[in-house]
Amino acid sequence: MGMVFYTPQQVPCSPENTELQDYPPMENSCRIRLRDGRYLAYAERGVPRHESRYRIIIVHGFGSSKEMNFPVSQDVVEELGIYFLLFDRAGYGDSDPNMYRSVKSEALDIEELADKLELGSKFYMIGVSMGSYPTWSCLRYIPHRLAGVALVVPVVNYWWPSLPKSLTKLDFRKKVIRWILRIASHAPALLRWWVNKKCLPSNSSLERDPTFFNEHDMEVLKHSKGFPMLTRERLRQQEVFDTLRTDFMVCFGKWEFDPIGMCDPFQGSTEGSVHIWQGQEDKVVPVELQRCISLKLPWIRYHEVPKGGHLIVHYSGMCDVIVKALLVGEESLAHGI
């Protein structure tokens, strides 16, 4: 598919649109019991499940939870009849940790959650940031359950075999990730000390660091609750540190498959599509990596947001556009290049 650029009507979004208050929860957080005995917590948004036309599972990223912000307007929710299912991935929020977490286990958790809540034979998925690796996993292991997928500012594993080394050789992020992986694997206590004493001297240092966020992201963070598990207080908790450590290691460790070598899961079907949404000024995931992936996987519908950073889901109108493109192919606010 060709590259598509989308220019938000307003960047960043206004404070009143940064929370999930546009469509309040239908009930408090609930939990389901998985086959292995673990509990998975979830929250429902949008129209009631039995009245919905579309059912979307949203997968949160690193340090987030089922309470993450994904501000879709009430008009779009009601017009399309959308039911949203958000959940705490293993070890996050109110969900039990998974001692055997793997790329594949993330997909199996999602499939079992969908079955327990009777979402039907197929459902849509939106993976945000590091929530993309469970989404790639679903594309690999349960493609028959997917009606469509959107990966929003998806993280990239620098050691995917098909990713050109020449593209990542000088990327400082790769060096940082490699260092963290080594320490996390061989000296986790040292990593915990470093994170608590050196990396996060205050609750908001990471969230205000221009190394990770561009001008528009920084503006968004002024009106956001930030990342609930990345505060100094939470990182001091052993279970929180362990969850973040294992999640990071699985995401950037060795995978059983190479996403860049995947075939179109909807090949031969007129229904279903896979989208990648990327900010041109994303400082967490370089835009060059996403462009490379989209060229190697021409069946992906690739979208770039000019002047967009890593927090594009919080830009005014972006979530409406992402959802419409996924569900009905509506990209009237975008123009092809």
Side-chain angles (χ1 to χ4, degrees):
M1 302 298 293
M3 184 182 297
V4 174
F5 291 88
Y6 169 71
T7 303
Q9 293 177 302
Q10 177 186 349
V11 179
C13 61
S14 56
E16 62 270 19
N17 289 329
T18 60
E19 306 298 336
L20 283 171
Q21 58 192 9
D22 284 332
Y23 46 98
M26 294 179 296
E27 53 187 89
N28 294 327
S29 172
C30 299
R31 303 206 301 173
I32 57 118
R33 186 174 184 179
L34 302 174
R35 285 187 293 268
D36 62 7
R38 290 182 294 117
Y39 283 90
L40 212 62
Y42 66 91
E44 299 173 294
R45 303 286 191 271
V47 303
R49 190 188 324 155
H50 64 279
E51 298 177 6
S52 63
R53 292 171 55 201
Y54 299 101
R55 297 172 181 182
I56 302 177
I57 297 179
I58 298 181
V59 189
H60 70 78
F62 188 74
S64 188
S65 73
K66 64 181 179 302
E67 308 302 330
M68 65 169 286
N69 303 330
F70 195 83
V72 180
S73 69
Q74 184 70 24
D75 288 343
V76 170
V77 171
E78 294 179 352
E79 174 190 352
L80 297 180
I82 309 172
Y83 161 87
F84 292 95
L85 176 62
L86 299 91
F87 71 103
D88 289 328
R89 296 195 291 115
Y92 283 93
D94 300 316
S95 289
D96 293 336
N98 182 1
M99 295 177 58
Y100 307 100
R101 173 180 243 131
S102 66
V103 174
K104 186 175 183 179
S105 73
E106 295 285 310
L108 299 182
D109 280 0
I110 290 171
E111 183 178 35
E112 190 169 355
L113 174 65
D115 288 339
K116 292 280 188 179
L117 296 181
E118 300 180 347
L119 295 194
S121 60
K122 290 180 179 289
F123 48 85
Y124 293 86
M125 287 188 65
I126 298 177
V128 180
S129 188
M130 221 167 89
S132 61
Y133 91 80
T135 310
W136 281 117
S137 181
C138 288
L139 284 167
R140 171 62 177 85
Y141 294 111
I142 58 168
H144 58 287
R145 302 300 304 275
L146 305 178
V149 170
L151 299 113
V152 185
V153 293
V155 297
V156 175
N157 185 315
Y158 284 91
W159 293 274
W160 288 342
S162 298
L163 194 66
K165 293 182 179 179
S166 59
L167 193 62
T168 64
K169 184 178 181 180
L170 300 179
D171 192 332
F172 78 93
R173 302 167 191 81
K174 182 178 182 179
K175 298 177 182 178
V176 172
I177 291 172
R178 180 189 287 119
W179 181 85
I180 293 175
L181 287 174
R182 289 176 178 172
I183 302 300
S185 177
H186 301 293
L190 176 61
L191 177 63
R192 187 183 180 200
W193 174 85
W194 179 79
V195 167
N196 279 283
K197 301 296 183 181
K198 301 294 183 181
C199 185
L200 290 177
S202 68
N203 289 348
S204 59
S205 61
L206 176 62
E207 297 170 7
R208 303 293 184 267
D209 192 339
T211 304
F212 301 102
F213 303 111
N214 77 345
E215 176 185 351
H216 300 308
D217 288 348
M218 299 284 277
E219 189 65 27
V220 166
L221 288 169
K222 292 179 181 179
H223 311 293
S224 171
K225 294 180 180 179
F227 307 96
M229 291 183 71
L230 299 184
T231 63
R232 183 174 56 187
E233 288 73 16
R234 295 301 304 278
L235 283 169
R236 285 174 175 167
Q237 301 174 21
Q238 184 68 49
E239 63 273 17
V240 170
F241 173 80
D242 289 342
T243 290
L244 295 172
R245 168 178 166 268
T246 57
D247 196 29
F248 188 91
M249 292 177 67
V250 169
C251 178
F252 293 105
K254 185 177 180 179
W255 290 26
E256 297 176 350
F257 66 96
D258 181 359
I260 305 178
M262 292 176 60
C263 296
D264 183 358
F266 303 109
Q267 188 173 10
S269 173
T270 58
E271 299 180 356
S273 57
V274 180
H275 301 250
I276 286 181
W277 294 83
Q278 175 69 23
Q280 279 187 350
E281 297 180 3
D282 191 330
K283 296 185 178 183
V284 177
V285 184
V287 67
E288 292 80 9
L289 299 185
Q290 305 294 10
R291 290 174 180 171
C292 174
I293 292 171
S294 69
L295 289 174
K296 288 179 175 291
L297 299 177
W299 44 270
I300 283 183
R301 302 183 182 184
Y302 179 63
H303 316 261
E304 276 186 16
V305 180
K307 300 183 180 180
H310 195 65
L311 303 180
I312 59 174
V313 293
H314 303 291
Y315 296 1
S316 182
M318 272 306 307
C319 287
D320 284 5
V321 173
I322 291 170
V323 166
K324 285 185 175 182
L326 175 64
L327 300 183
V328 297
E330 181 177 327
E331 298 170 9
S332 59
L333 297 180
H335 60 277
I337 299 296

